[in-house]
Amino acid sequence: MAERRLLVLFGSQTGTAQDTAERIGREAKRRHLRCQVQALDSCDVANLIHEPLVVFVCATTGQGDPPDNMKMFWRFLFRKNLPAGSLCQLDFAVLGLGDSSYPKFNFIAKKLHKRVLQLGGNPLLPVALGDDQHDLGPDAVIDPWLVALWDKILALYPLPPGLEIIGPDVRLPPKYSLHYLPEDCPPPDSDVLQPTAPGAAPCELQPFAARLVSNQRLTAPSHFQDVRLMEFDIAGSGITFSPGDVVMIQPQNCPEDVQQFCQLLRLEPDRRFVLKPTEPGTSLPPLLPQPCTIRHLVTHYLDISCVPRRSFFELLAYFSTSELEREKLQEFSSAQGQEELFSYCNRPRRTTLEALWDFPHTTAAIPADYLLDLIPRIRPRAFSIASSMLAHPERLQILVAVVRYRTRLSKPRRGLCSTWLASLNPQQSDVRVPLWVKKGGMKFPTDPATPVIMIGPGTGVAPFRAAIQERVALGCRGNCLFFGCRHRDRDFYCQTEWEELVAKGFLTLFTAFSRDQEEKVYVQHRIQENRRLVWELLSSGNAHVYLAG
């Protein structure tokens, strides 16, 4: 009998594709299939020729781009020298997650399906195209597609004699078991971030602990939005960057939320534990020290401030000791309950921690072993770099708009990363922030004579500040910036810097302050007023135009 094994590979940017891939992994276990779930870039692509059965789950990002954790796989798959029949033994299915309001809707899933077909793969089903714009979200496509997928897979790989599908009333074992260490066990050397190994460029698995040098508010105290210019010391990190590049920052939960979470779940923050995989072949989560404290796990790893997904409520229902709470949780995790779940979670942006408050009996009964199955890890946040290495060697600066807004919930919603960054005070202590740099999507002209037109309202000006600093350091004068904000005296970021460059002849600046007069004025009005100059730069100067929001 053929070996009943399934490989589920995902390319995920915001976590939805990973969440869906893990759901398929759980459903495979219920059908007694040996199943591994991995990011596409974590798997050895050359081994695909030995895999009998693969389900690909992939999102499309930006303008039809693959997610970051499948970029290497993507390059490999489209190599010209791959033989046409190299995947002829592979039965496969592709599930795409996209948003039909974008022109390249599910582009990556469609292209992947086509390419695996070219290489000889046998499709079990047509490609599924999940759509964020649907009233019920991507699940409207995923749910019926999975029913059809399991029918196909079980026809090819029937259940072994005497085995039944494990029903939805049975709770699956956790991915890891959590073993508490005796309280008198000596603590590890350090619970904090270690600096990167010398020689290695910092990356997600090895971020650099950069010292925060300054944290300056740029907006007037009376202005509704708090925007910061933050500077980090990156001396000795091996980090290099160009204008247009992006810095990734790994945020953490605030101490009050960590304390509340531990109280709700009756966890002792300073208890130390080690994790052990419950199945062979499961790797330990990267970035978690072993041994680890509960406090470190909740502060640096568990995303207790994210809006919980359907899978969260599905797992939570298994722990419920209260019939009333269990019924509600089961409704939220059913296909019929998705509109109700959207109104409860997504519309008001309710956090995981707040949802746990609403189900107190269930929350108190959550076994610690299931924490990593229940709550996803905190994802890094991306910021455009707002400085040039030529102007500020060994320094990296960013513009941060602190995210704070209201929904129907009484407590204002706060962005996890921006709120944490804004709270850091470099005057008080040696503050470290884990970060690494990624190539950005903007490339500025190498020829210093090429003029550049930059349109950057609000914090969208960040990458242009980096570009202007760099170009000025190289002696380039053809810099034209259209900047927009609400008020000249409240949120005109870097005003003095721009005015000095204008005085020295390095910058042509056009500003639009939308609320400083009766009728609103935006950057597009300034472009229209200066259309002759813009056209001259484009037609005779071959200017490059850049826009950032």
Side-chain angles (χ1 to χ4, degrees), residues 125-154:
L125 290 172
V127 58
L129 306 175
D131 184 8
D132 258 349
Q133 291 298 316
H134 192 284
D135 288 346
L136 300 177
D139 285 344
V141 167
I142 296 169
D143 290 356
W145 186 80
L146 281 179
V147 171
L149 179 72
W150 294 123
D151 285 347
K152 290 275 187 190
I153 290 177
L154 288 181

PDB file of all heavy atoms in Angstrom, residues 125-154:
ATOM      1  N   LEU A 125      -7.305  19.001  -8.271  1.00  0.00           N
ATOM      2  CA  LEU A 125      -8.466  19.899  -8.407  1.00  0.00           C
ATOM      3  C   LEU A 125      -8.021  21.152  -9.157  1.00  0.00           C
ATOM      4  O   LEU A 125      -6.824  21.458  -9.189  1.00  0.00           O
ATOM      5  CB  LEU A 125      -8.941  20.350  -7.005  1.00  0.00           C
ATOM      6  CG  LEU A 125      -9.603  19.338  -6.077  1.00  0.00           C
ATOM      7  CD1 LEU A 125      -9.791  19.999  -4.704  1.00  0.00           C
ATOM      8  CD2 LEU A 125     -10.946  18.880  -6.602  1.00  0.00           C
ATOM      9  N   PRO A 126      -8.970  21.913  -9.710  1.00  0.00           N
ATOM     10  CA  PRO A 126      -8.589  23.225 -10.252  1.00  0.00           C
ATOM     11  C   PRO A 126      -8.079  24.118  -9.113  1.00  0.00           C
ATOM     12  O   PRO A 126      -8.417  23.897  -7.949  1.00  0.00           O
ATOM     13  CB  PRO A 126      -9.907  23.787 -10.821  1.00  0.00           C
ATOM     14  CG  PRO A 126     -10.838  22.623 -10.906  1.00  0.00           C
ATOM     15  CD  PRO A 126     -10.404  21.623  -9.878  1.00  0.00           C
ATOM     16  N   VAL A 127      -7.261  25.113  -9.457  1.00  0.00           N
ATOM     17  CA  VAL A 127      -6.726  26.028  -8.447  1.00  0.00           C
ATOM     18  C   VAL A 127      -7.894  26.756  -7.747  1.00  0.00           C
ATOM     19  O   VAL A 127      -8.861  27.155  -8.392  1.00  0.00           O
ATOM     20  CB  VAL A 127      -5.718  27.025  -9.090  1.00  0.00           C
ATOM     21  CG1 VAL A 127      -6.347  27.843 -10.202  1.00  0.00           C
ATOM     22  CG2 VAL A 127      -5.110  27.953  -8.044  1.00  0.00           C
ATOM     23  N   ALA A 128      -7.801  26.863  -6.414  1.00  0.00           N
ATOM     24  CA  ALA A 128      -8.846  27.567  -5.635  1.00  0.00           C
ATOM     25  C   ALA A 128      -8.407  29.006  -5.422  1.00  0.00           C
ATOM     26  O   ALA A 128      -7.246  29.256  -5.080  1.00  0.00           O
ATOM     27  CB  ALA A 128      -9.031  26.875  -4.288  1.00  0.00           C
ATOM     28  N   LEU A 129      -9.329  29.951  -5.623  1.00  0.00           N
ATOM     29  CA  LEU A 129      -8.974  31.367  -5.514  1.00  0.00           C
ATOM     30  C   LEU A 129      -9.765  32.036  -4.386  1.00  0.00           C
ATOM     31  O   LEU A 129     -10.860  32.555  -4.589  1.00  0.00           O
ATOM     32  CB  LEU A 129      -9.239  32.072  -6.854  1.00  0.00           C
ATOM     33  CG  LEU A 129      -8.566  31.435  -8.086  1.00  0.00           C
ATOM     34  CD1 LEU A 129      -8.984  32.134  -9.364  1.00  0.00           C
ATOM     35  CD2 LEU A 129      -7.043  31.438  -7.953  1.00  0.00           C
ATOM     36  N   GLY A 130      -9.220  31.977  -3.179  1.00  0.00           N
ATOM     37  CA  GLY A 130      -9.847  32.621  -2.017  1.00  0.00           C
ATOM     38  C   GLY A 130      -9.799  34.125  -2.164  1.00  0.00           C
ATOM     39  O   GLY A 130      -8.811  34.671  -2.653  1.00  0.00           O
ATOM     40  N   ASP A 131     -10.869  34.806  -1.724  1.00  0.00           N
ATOM     41  CA  ASP A 131     -10.972  36.247  -1.931  1.00  0.00           C
ATOM     42  C   ASP A 131     -11.342  36.972  -0.634  1.00  0.00           C
ATOM     43  O   ASP A 131     -12.399  36.734  -0.055  1.00  0.00           O
ATOM     44  CB  ASP A 131     -12.036  36.523  -3.004  1.00  0.00           C
ATOM     45  CG  ASP A 131     -12.140  38.007  -3.357  1.00  0.00           C
ATOM     46  OD1 ASP A 131     -11.295  38.780  -2.895  1.00  0.00           O
ATOM     47  OD2 ASP A 131     -13.070  38.357  -4.117  1.00  0.00           O
ATOM     48  N   ASP A 132     -10.461  37.872  -0.204  1.00  0.00           N
ATOM     49  CA  ASP A 132     -10.709  38.686   0.987  1.00  0.00           C
ATOM     50  C   ASP A 132     -11.947  39.551   0.863  1.00  0.00           C
ATOM     51  O   ASP A 132     -12.533  39.948   1.872  1.00  0.00           O
ATOM     52  CB  ASP A 132      -9.520  39.630   1.212  1.00  0.00           C
ATOM     53  CG  ASP A 132      -8.623  39.117   2.313  1.00  0.00           C
ATOM     54  OD1 ASP A 132      -9.036  38.183   3.019  1.00  0.00           O
ATOM     55  OD2 ASP A 132      -7.509  39.643   2.471  1.00  0.00           O
ATOM     56  N   GLN A 133     -12.333  39.888  -0.386  1.00  0.00           N
ATOM     57  CA  GLN A 133     -13.456  40.796  -0.596  1.00  0.00           C
ATOM     58  C   GLN A 133     -14.818  40.116  -0.418  1.00  0.00           C
ATOM     59  O   GLN A 133     -15.829  40.780  -0.311  1.00  0.00           O
ATOM     60  CB  GLN A 133     -13.384  41.405  -2.017  1.00  0.00           C
ATOM     61  CG  GLN A 133     -12.230  42.366  -2.218  1.00  0.00           C
ATOM     62  CD  GLN A 133     -12.322  43.579  -1.300  1.00  0.00           C
ATOM     63  OE1 GLN A 133     -13.376  44.167  -1.119  1.00  0.00           O
ATOM     64  NE2 GLN A 133     -11.198  43.949  -0.695  1.00  0.00           N
ATOM     65  N   HIS A 134     -14.838  38.775  -0.425  1.00  0.00           N
ATOM     66  CA  HIS A 134     -16.109  38.056  -0.263  1.00  0.00           C
ATOM     67  C   HIS A 134     -16.674  38.340   1.134  1.00  0.00           C
ATOM     68  O   HIS A 134     -15.920  38.509   2.093  1.00  0.00           O
ATOM     69  CB  HIS A 134     -15.880  36.558  -0.453  1.00  0.00           C
ATOM     70  CG  HIS A 134     -17.144  35.756  -0.580  1.00  0.00           C
ATOM     71  ND1 HIS A 134     -17.934  35.459   0.496  1.00  0.00           N
ATOM     72  CD2 HIS A 134     -17.751  35.208  -1.665  1.00  0.00           C
ATOM     73  CE1 HIS A 134     -18.985  34.746   0.079  1.00  0.00           C
ATOM     74  NE2 HIS A 134     -18.889  34.586  -1.232  1.00  0.00           N
ATOM     75  N   ASP A 135     -18.000  38.370   1.240  1.00  0.00           N
ATOM     76  CA  ASP A 135     -18.637  38.637   2.548  1.00  0.00           C
ATOM     77  C   ASP A 135     -18.114  37.716   3.642  1.00  0.00           C
ATOM     78  O   ASP A 135     -17.984  38.118   4.798  1.00  0.00           O
ATOM     79  CB  ASP A 135     -20.163  38.469   2.442  1.00  0.00           C
ATOM     80  CG  ASP A 135     -20.776  39.616   1.660  1.00  0.00           C
ATOM     81  OD1 ASP A 135     -20.072  40.621   1.454  1.00  0.00           O
ATOM     82  OD2 ASP A 135     -21.949  39.498   1.236  1.00  0.00           O
ATOM     83  N   LEU A 136     -17.853  36.458   3.286  1.00  0.00           N
ATOM     84  CA  LEU A 136     -17.372  35.499   4.292  1.00  0.00           C
ATOM     85  C   LEU A 136     -15.856  35.325   4.216  1.00  0.00           C
ATOM     86  O   LEU A 136     -15.303  34.407   4.808  1.00  0.00           O
ATOM     87  CB  LEU A 136     -18.051  34.138   4.093  1.00  0.00           C
ATOM     88  CG  LEU A 136     -19.576  34.139   4.218  1.00  0.00           C
ATOM     89  CD1 LEU A 136     -20.140  32.757   3.930  1.00  0.00           C
ATOM     90  CD2 LEU A 136     -20.005  34.585   5.617  1.00  0.00           C
ATOM     91  N   GLY A 137     -15.194  36.198   3.457  1.00  0.00           N
ATOM     92  CA  GLY A 137     -13.737  36.107   3.333  1.00  0.00           C
ATOM     93  C   GLY A 137     -13.334  34.887   2.519  1.00  0.00           C
ATOM     94  O   GLY A 137     -14.163  34.237   1.870  1.00  0.00           O
ATOM     95  N   PRO A 138     -12.031  34.531   2.561  1.00  0.00           N
ATOM     96  CA  PRO A 138     -11.540  33.407   1.755  1.00  0.00           C
ATOM     97  C   PRO A 138     -12.204  32.072   2.091  1.00  0.00           C
ATOM     98  O   PRO A 138     -12.256  31.173   1.254  1.00  0.00           O
ATOM     99  CB  PRO A 138     -10.041  33.374   2.048  1.00  0.00           C
ATOM    100  CG  PRO A 138      -9.797  34.295   3.184  1.00  0.00           C
ATOM    101  CD  PRO A 138     -10.964  35.207   3.306  1.00  0.00           C
ATOM    102  N   ASP A 139     -12.744  31.942   3.333  1.00  0.00           N
ATOM    103  CA  ASP A 139     -13.373  30.665   3.728  1.00  0.00           C
ATOM    104  C   ASP A 139     -14.519  30.266   2.809  1.00  0.00           C
ATOM    105  O   ASP A 139     -14.841  29.081   2.698  1.00  0.00           O
ATOM    106  CB  ASP A 139     -13.884  30.739   5.180  1.00  0.00           C
ATOM    107  CG  ASP A 139     -12.736  30.662   6.178  1.00  0.00           C
ATOM    108  OD1 ASP A 139     -11.637  30.251   5.766  1.00  0.00           O
ATOM    109  OD2 ASP A 139     -12.931  31.020   7.347  1.00  0.00           O
ATOM    110  N   ALA A 140     -15.152  31.261   2.160  1.00  0.00           N
ATOM    111  CA  ALA A 140     -16.255  30.957   1.242  1.00  0.00           C
ATOM    112  C   ALA A 140     -15.787  30.017   0.128  1.00  0.00           C
ATOM    113  O   ALA A 140     -16.547  29.176  -0.350  1.00  0.00           O
ATOM    114  CB  ALA A 140     -16.801  32.247   0.634  1.00  0.00           C
ATOM    115  N   VAL A 141     -14.518  30.141  -0.266  1.00  0.00           N
ATOM    116  CA  VAL A 141     -13.946  29.263  -1.299  1.00  0.00           C
ATOM    117  C   VAL A 141     -13.256  28.060  -0.652  1.00  0.00           C
ATOM    118  O   VAL A 141     -13.366  26.933  -1.123  1.00  0.00           O
ATOM    119  CB  VAL A 141     -12.938  30.065  -2.172  1.00  0.00           C
ATOM    120  CG1 VAL A 141     -12.090  29.142  -3.046  1.00  0.00           C
ATOM    121  CG2 VAL A 141     -13.697  31.066  -3.048  1.00  0.00           C
ATOM    122  N   ILE A 142     -12.552  28.321   0.465  1.00  0.00           N
ATOM    123  CA  ILE A 142     -11.733  27.260   1.087  1.00  0.00           C
ATOM    124  C   ILE A 142     -12.588  26.087   1.570  1.00  0.00           C
ATOM    125  O   ILE A 142     -12.258  24.921   1.320  1.00  0.00           O
ATOM    126  CB  ILE A 142     -10.907  27.833   2.270  1.00  0.00           C
ATOM    127  CG1 ILE A 142      -9.911  28.880   1.761  1.00  0.00           C
ATOM    128  CG2 ILE A 142     -10.174  26.724   3.006  1.00  0.00           C
ATOM    129  CD1 ILE A 142      -9.243  29.698   2.875  1.00  0.00           C
ATOM    130  N   ASP A 143     -13.701  26.379   2.272  1.00  0.00           N
ATOM    131  CA  ASP A 143     -14.503  25.301   2.883  1.00  0.00           C
ATOM    132  C   ASP A 143     -14.954  24.251   1.862  1.00  0.00           C
ATOM    133  O   ASP A 143     -14.660  23.058   2.033  1.00  0.00           O
ATOM    134  CB  ASP A 143     -15.703  25.877   3.656  1.00  0.00           C
ATOM    135  CG  ASP A 143     -15.271  26.612   4.932  1.00  0.00           C
ATOM    136  OD1 ASP A 143     -14.064  26.596   5.242  1.00  0.00           O
ATOM    137  OD2 ASP A 143     -16.127  27.196   5.616  1.00  0.00           O
ATOM    138  N   PRO A 144     -15.660  24.641   0.776  1.00  0.00           N
ATOM    139  CA  PRO A 144     -16.096  23.612  -0.171  1.00  0.00           C
ATOM    140  C   PRO A 144     -14.931  22.959  -0.924  1.00  0.00           C
ATOM    141  O   PRO A 144     -14.982  21.765  -1.252  1.00  0.00           O
ATOM    142  CB  PRO A 144     -17.013  24.372  -1.147  1.00  0.00           C
ATOM    143  CG  PRO A 144     -16.736  25.817  -0.935  1.00  0.00           C
ATOM    144  CD  PRO A 144     -16.200  25.964   0.447  1.00  0.00           C
ATOM    145  N   TRP A 145     -13.869  23.730  -1.167  1.00  0.00           N
ATOM    146  CA  TRP A 145     -12.710  23.177  -1.887  1.00  0.00           C
ATOM    147  C   TRP A 145     -12.044  22.074  -1.062  1.00  0.00           C
ATOM    148  O   TRP A 145     -11.647  21.039  -1.592  1.00  0.00           O
ATOM    149  CB  TRP A 145     -11.710  24.308  -2.180  1.00  0.00           C
ATOM    150  CG  TRP A 145     -10.544  23.910  -3.049  1.00  0.00           C
ATOM    151  CD1 TRP A 145     -10.525  23.788  -4.407  1.00  0.00           C
ATOM    152  CD2 TRP A 145      -9.207  23.607  -2.605  1.00  0.00           C
ATOM    153  NE1 TRP A 145      -9.261  23.433  -4.840  1.00  0.00           N
ATOM    154  CE2 TRP A 145      -8.426  23.315  -3.752  1.00  0.00           C
ATOM    155  CE3 TRP A 145      -8.586  23.558  -1.364  1.00  0.00           C
ATOM    156  CZ2 TRP A 145      -7.072  22.982  -3.690  1.00  0.00           C
ATOM    157  CZ3 TRP A 145      -7.245  23.229  -1.306  1.00  0.00           C
ATOM    158  CH2 TRP A 145      -6.494  22.939  -2.449  1.00  0.00           C
ATOM    159  N   LEU A 146     -11.959  22.273   0.257  1.00  0.00           N
ATOM    160  CA  LEU A 146     -11.336  21.244   1.110  1.00  0.00           C
ATOM    161  C   LEU A 146     -12.164  19.964   1.152  1.00  0.00           C
ATOM    162  O   LEU A 146     -11.608  18.869   1.193  1.00  0.00           O
ATOM    163  CB  LEU A 146     -11.124  21.794   2.530  1.00  0.00           C
ATOM    164  CG  LEU A 146      -9.911  22.708   2.720  1.00  0.00           C
ATOM    165  CD1 LEU A 146      -9.821  23.194   4.155  1.00  0.00           C
ATOM    166  CD2 LEU A 146      -8.612  22.000   2.338  1.00  0.00           C
ATOM    167  N   VAL A 147     -13.497  20.104   1.131  1.00  0.00           N
ATOM    168  CA  VAL A 147     -14.364  18.902   1.099  1.00  0.00           C
ATOM    169  C   VAL A 147     -14.016  18.082  -0.148  1.00  0.00           C
ATOM    170  O   VAL A 147     -13.817  16.858  -0.083  1.00  0.00           O
ATOM    171  CB  VAL A 147     -15.856  19.318   1.104  1.00  0.00           C
ATOM    172  CG1 VAL A 147     -16.742  18.104   0.853  1.00  0.00           C
ATOM    173  CG2 VAL A 147     -16.217  19.983   2.426  1.00  0.00           C
ATOM    174  N   ALA A 148     -13.909  18.768  -1.303  1.00  0.00           N
ATOM    175  CA  ALA A 148     -13.577  18.084  -2.555  1.00  0.00           C
ATOM    176  C   ALA A 148     -12.163  17.503  -2.510  1.00  0.00           C
ATOM    177  O   ALA A 148     -11.907  16.395  -3.011  1.00  0.00           O
ATOM    178  CB  ALA A 148     -13.708  19.060  -3.727  1.00  0.00           C
ATOM    179  N   LEU A 149     -11.220  18.248  -1.884  1.00  0.00           N
ATOM    180  CA  LEU A 149      -9.829  17.777  -1.804  1.00  0.00           C
ATOM    181  C   LEU A 149      -9.737  16.467  -1.018  1.00  0.00           C
ATOM    182  O   LEU A 149      -9.087  15.514  -1.453  1.00  0.00           O
ATOM    183  CB  LEU A 149      -8.955  18.844  -1.144  1.00  0.00           C
ATOM    184  CG  LEU A 149      -7.472  18.456  -0.968  1.00  0.00           C
ATOM    185  CD1 LEU A 149      -6.752  18.445  -2.306  1.00  0.00           C
ATOM    186  CD2 LEU A 149      -6.755  19.401   0.009  1.00  0.00           C
ATOM    187  N   TRP A 150     -10.422  16.394   0.131  1.00  0.00           N
ATOM    188  CA  TRP A 150     -10.328  15.176   0.950  1.00  0.00           C
ATOM    189  C   TRP A 150     -10.988  13.993   0.240  1.00  0.00           C
ATOM    190  O   TRP A 150     -10.508  12.861   0.356  1.00  0.00           O
ATOM    191  CB  TRP A 150     -10.918  15.399   2.351  1.00  0.00           C
ATOM    192  CG  TRP A 150     -10.110  16.376   3.146  1.00  0.00           C
ATOM    193  CD1 TRP A 150     -10.535  17.532   3.716  1.00  0.00           C
ATOM    194  CD2 TRP A 150      -8.699  16.303   3.427  1.00  0.00           C
ATOM    195  NE1 TRP A 150      -9.495  18.189   4.333  1.00  0.00           N
ATOM    196  CE2 TRP A 150      -8.347  17.453   4.176  1.00  0.00           C
ATOM    197  CE3 TRP A 150      -7.691  15.388   3.121  1.00  0.00           C
ATOM    198  CZ2 TRP A 150      -7.054  17.704   4.617  1.00  0.00           C
ATOM    199  CZ3 TRP A 150      -6.399  15.640   3.552  1.00  0.00           C
ATOM    200  CH2 TRP A 150      -6.076  16.778   4.290  1.00  0.00           C
ATOM    201  N   ASP A 151     -12.048  14.250  -0.512  1.00  0.00           N
ATOM    202  CA  ASP A 151     -12.655  13.164  -1.308  1.00  0.00           C
ATOM    203  C   ASP A 151     -11.627  12.584  -2.276  1.00  0.00           C
ATOM    204  O   ASP A 151     -11.479  11.367  -2.397  1.00  0.00           O
ATOM    205  CB  ASP A 151     -13.867  13.688  -2.105  1.00  0.00           C
ATOM    206  CG  ASP A 151     -15.077  13.912  -1.199  1.00  0.00           C
ATOM    207  OD1 ASP A 151     -15.041  13.429  -0.039  1.00  0.00           O
ATOM    208  OD2 ASP A 151     -16.052  14.563  -1.640  1.00  0.00           O
ATOM    209  N   LYS A 152     -10.907  13.475  -2.972  1.00  0.00           N
ATOM    210  CA  LYS A 152      -9.890  13.032  -3.948  1.00  0.00           C
ATOM    211  C   LYS A 152      -8.756  12.269  -3.264  1.00  0.00           C
ATOM    212  O   LYS A 152      -8.318  11.225  -3.719  1.00  0.00           O
ATOM    213  CB  LYS A 152      -9.280  14.254  -4.665  1.00  0.00           C
ATOM    214  CG  LYS A 152     -10.228  14.960  -5.610  1.00  0.00           C
ATOM    215  CD  LYS A 152     -10.228  14.285  -6.968  1.00  0.00           C
ATOM    216  CE  LYS A 152     -11.046  15.080  -7.976  1.00  0.00           C
ATOM    217  NZ  LYS A 152     -11.251  14.333  -9.217  1.00  0.00           N
ATOM    218  N   ILE A 153      -8.260  12.857  -2.131  1.00  0.00           N
ATOM    219  CA  ILE A 153      -7.108  12.242  -1.451  1.00  0.00           C
ATOM    220  C   ILE A 153      -7.484  10.880  -0.881  1.00  0.00           C
ATOM    221  O   ILE A 153      -6.721   9.908  -0.999  1.00  0.00           O
ATOM    222  CB  ILE A 153      -6.544  13.196  -0.365  1.00  0.00           C
ATOM    223  CG1 ILE A 153      -5.856  14.391  -1.044  1.00  0.00           C
ATOM    224  CG2 ILE A 153      -5.567  12.472   0.559  1.00  0.00           C
ATOM    225  CD1 ILE A 153      -5.325  15.455  -0.091  1.00  0.00           C
ATOM    226  N   LEU A 154      -8.682  10.765  -0.293  1.00  0.00           N
ATOM    227  CA  LEU A 154      -9.078   9.478   0.291  1.00  0.00           C
ATOM    228  C   LEU A 154      -9.380   8.429  -0.786  1.00  0.00           C
ATOM    229  O   LEU A 154      -9.280   7.225  -0.528  1.00  0.00           O
ATOM    230  CB  LEU A 154     -10.266   9.648   1.246  1.00  0.00           C
ATOM    231  CG  LEU A 154      -9.927  10.345   2.574  1.00  0.00           C
ATOM    232  CD1 LEU A 154     -11.152  10.451   3.455  1.00  0.00           C
ATOM    233  CD2 LEU A 154      -8.806   9.626   3.333  1.00  0.00           C
TER     234      LEU A 154
END
